[in-house]
Each structure stands twice: as structure tokens, then as C-alpha cells.
Amino acid sequence: MKSQPILKKRGTWKQIVKSYDLYLMLLLPMAWYIIFQYGPMYGLQIAFKDFNPSFGFLGSKWVGFENFTRFFESYYFGRLLWNTFSISIYSLLIAFPIPILLALLINEIRNNALKKWVQNVTYIPHFISVVVIVGMLSLFLNPASGIVNTMLNAVGIDSVAFMEKPGWFKTIFIGSNIWQSMGWQSIIYIAALAGIDPQLYEAAKMDGASRFQRIIHVSIPGILPVIIILLILDVGNFLNVGFEKILLMQNNLNMKSSDVIQTFVYRNGILNGDFSYSAAIGLFNSVINFILLIFINQFAKKKAETSLW
């Protein structure tokens, strides 16, 4: 009985030696994760301290959960949480399905030239800088000379300062995200659709299924595992709502709707130097994401038998 584990270990080492070149390729990404992902976790201790750079991590005063309590009891806690959650839910309900629908549409196009044209037109915006996107939004939505307000004026509607109205912020933010990323995100679904056995479509066609019925009963079930995996990954980043773009679009007039956890951490940590408080808020954000990831992964594993692990 004792010889079996020994033989198993020897077999494992033989496999490693045999494929040593593949394992060597893992060294660089492993080093990257250790240095840039796991290494900085050492600094998370400042979330539980009154951090003073002159005393360092170990020398700063321990305050326990005081920073977390301060955040939970603050008047802006509810606003930050609602803005972050509402943008994430808005994205999940509206932005997530659109690349799937686009992929199904492209897959149904029979003209190869038209299919390539649609793909190119939809995924080119992905390569436009976020700074340029926000500049375009400011230009097009300008209340004095923007093309959108010019068209509204032409039909007798007064100009609207879209970028300054809190009520319009989420719609503009999510809508521009959809335009910029739907083509690029649809690529993985198109690849999954290409992997579906053509005989399934032929069998469905012989059974009298219409094109729409083939999409419902063949295409969607065929890419369902990919949809679930990407949904799990999206939920795992639920509270990470696109810090750079929000910061660029944010101003004093739309702050009521645009102020999220990440922008608040930036202002307090980078601009105001309140490192411990910002670290505590960032840790809270990460813990919520982690809990949601575990929950949605277990739910998908139980209901759909598809999961990350």
C-alpha cells in the first residue's frame, strides 16, 4: 500500500521532466502573479491601522475595524454603494446580453463579405482610447453646439446638458460602453458558435425548425457554457465599474450619480493621503466581489453544471 503513493509521485515527476519546457513557460506568469498580485497583499494590513509612512507597515498604530466602521457610518456610504450597484446591475441586465445577440446575428448572416464588414465595424471602437471616447461624448452632447442637441433643437426640443445631469449619467456611461465593447466581446461567442456541430442545424432543419427555432434550440444551448463562464467572471468584478471612464466623465454637477466606491478611494487615498481609510474601503470592495464570485460559481455549478472550478 505504501508503494502506491511513491510510484504516483515518481510518475508525476517523470511527467514534469518530460514536459519541462511547458512548465518553464509557466515561470514568467507565475512570477508576475506573485510579484504584482499576491505580493501587494502584504500592505492590506494598513486597512486595520492608522498608517503613518514614517513608521511603516509594522510600526503604525493598530486600530482594528475602526476604518471600516467609519465608512459604514458615513453619510455617503449609501450613495456610494447604490451608485456602484446600480451601474453594475444596469450593465449586467443591458450590456451583457447585447454581445450575445450580436454574435447570433453575425452567425446568421450568409454573405461572408457583409459578415466581415459588420464584425469590423462593431469591434473597431474597442481600440479607441477611453479619453477619446469621453471627449467624443462631450463634443456630441454639448448643449450649445453638439450634434445631439442640434437635432433636438431642429424638432423644437430645448437643449439638454446631458453630461451635467445626474439622471443621464448612467445611461450615457452604459450606452457608450455598449457601443465601444459589444463587437470585441462578441468575438468569443462567435468562436463558440463556430464550434457547434453543423449536423445539429441540419437535423433541426429536417425536423422543420425555422431559423429562429434553430437559434433558440441549437445556437443558444451550444454557447450556454461560454455564456455562464463569462457571466461568472462579470459577477466576480461586480463592483469594479470602470474607474477611468467614470473619473473622466465626473464633474461637480453629476456627482450625485457618478460618485462610486473606486472614485471615492482615489480621492481619499491618492489626493488626500488617507491611506488606511482608502485601503479599508478597497478591501471591503474586494471582499464583496469575492463573495459574489463564490456564490454565483456555486449556483452555476449546481443549476447548470458549469463553473470555474
Side-chain angles (χ1 to χ4, degrees):
M1 295 295 292
K2 291 182 179 179
S3 62
Q4 290 183 355
I6 296 174
L7 291 173
K8 188 176 180 180
K9 289 181 179 178
R10 288 178 179 175
T12 302
W13 279 108
K14 284 183 179 179
Q15 290 179 356
I16 293 175
V17 172
K18 185 178 179 181
S19 305
Y20 75 95
D21 50 344
L22 298 177
Y23 286 97
L24 286 175
M25 292 175 62
L26 286 174
L27 291 179
L28 189 60
M30 285 178 64
W32 185 87
Y33 270 98
I34 291 171
I35 295 171
F36 296 104
Q37 299 294 325
Y38 291 99
M41 288 185 182
Y42 173 76
L44 286 176
Q45 59 183 293
I46 69 173
F48 304 93
K49 294 187 174 185
D50 183 10
F51 179 66
N52 189 324
S54 61
F55 295 147
F57 291 137
L58 300 178
S60 298
K61 180 184 176 182
W62 181 271
V63 295
F65 290 95
E66 183 179 312
N67 292 312
F68 295 91
T69 304
R70 175 186 165 193
F71 178 58
F72 298 149
E73 294 179 350
S74 62
Y75 70 91
Y76 43 75
F77 172 72
R79 184 189 69 186
L80 293 174
L81 205 60
W82 165 248
N83 287 341
T84 307
F85 265 92
S86 59
I87 290 175
S88 297
I89 293 171
Y90 198 171
S91 297
L92 206 60
L93 294 178
I94 298 178
F96 182 79
I98 288 181
I100 302 172
L101 298 175
L102 178 62
L104 294 170
L105 173 65
I106 291 174
N107 188 61
E108 291 301 314
I109 298 176
R110 295 292 173 255
N111 187 303
N112 287 330
L114 179 60
K115 180 184 291 189
K116 291 179 180 179
W117 182 83
V118 172
Q119 281 185 275
N120 288 331
V121 168
T122 53
Y123 78 62
I124 282 175
H126 171 78
F127 299 99
I128 301 176
S129 167
V130 173
V131 177
V132 175
I133 292 291
V134 176
M136 292 169 62
L137 291 173
S138 300
L139 183 65
F140 295 154
L141 301 177
N142 187 290
S145 58
I147 185 173
V148 174
N149 279 301
T150 300
M151 294 172 64
L152 291 176
N153 294 336
V155 295
I157 301 175
D158 294 335
S159 296
V160 179
F162 292 99
M163 298 293 286
E164 300 170 3
K165 298 284 187 181
W168 279 101
F169 178 82
K170 294 181 178 69
T171 301
I172 296 171
F173 177 77
I174 300 299
S176 58
N177 277 352
I178 292 171
W179 172 74
Q180 185 178 11
S181 60
M182 66 178 181
W184 183 260
Q185 292 175 351
S186 70
I187 292 175
I188 190 169
Y189 298 115
I190 294 172
L193 286 166
I196 297 175
D197 189 349
Q199 293 182 1
L200 295 175
Y201 289 104
E202 294 298 329
K205 191 174 182 180
M206 291 180 64
D207 288 339
S210 64
R211 177 174 288 190
F212 180 74
Q213 289 174 325
R214 293 198 295 271
I215 292 174
I216 297 297
H217 298 290
V218 180
S219 297
I220 293 179
I223 64 173
L224 189 59
V226 176
I227 294 174
I228 293 173
I229 292 297
L230 293 180
L231 178 62
I232 293 171
L233 293 174
D234 273 13
V235 173
N237 288 294
F238 192 72
L239 297 184
N240 299 333
V241 292
F243 161 75
E244 297 89 352
K245 188 174 180 181
I246 289 180
L247 188 64
L248 290 168
M249 292 179 62
Q250 194 174 81
N251 56 58
N252 292 331
L253 296 175
N254 65 24
M255 187 71 74
K256 182 180 178 181
S257 293
S258 65
D259 199 18
V260 296
I261 291 175
Q262 290 173 305
T263 56
F264 185 80
V265 169
Y266 167 75
R267 286 200 310 275
N268 279 270
I270 304 300
L271 300 183
N272 298 335
D274 197 348
F275 302 113
S276 293
Y277 187 48
S278 300
I281 299 171
L283 181 58
F284 164 76
N285 189 82
S286 299
V287 168
I288 296 299
N289 280 335
F290 180 72
I291 292 172
L292 289 173
L293 175 62
I294 296 297
F295 173 78
I296 192 66
N297 185 75
Q298 291 302 113
F299 182 81
K301 187 176 182 179
K302 182 179 179 180
K303 297 296 183 180
E305 299 182 353
T306 302
S307 62
L308 290 177
W309 64 84

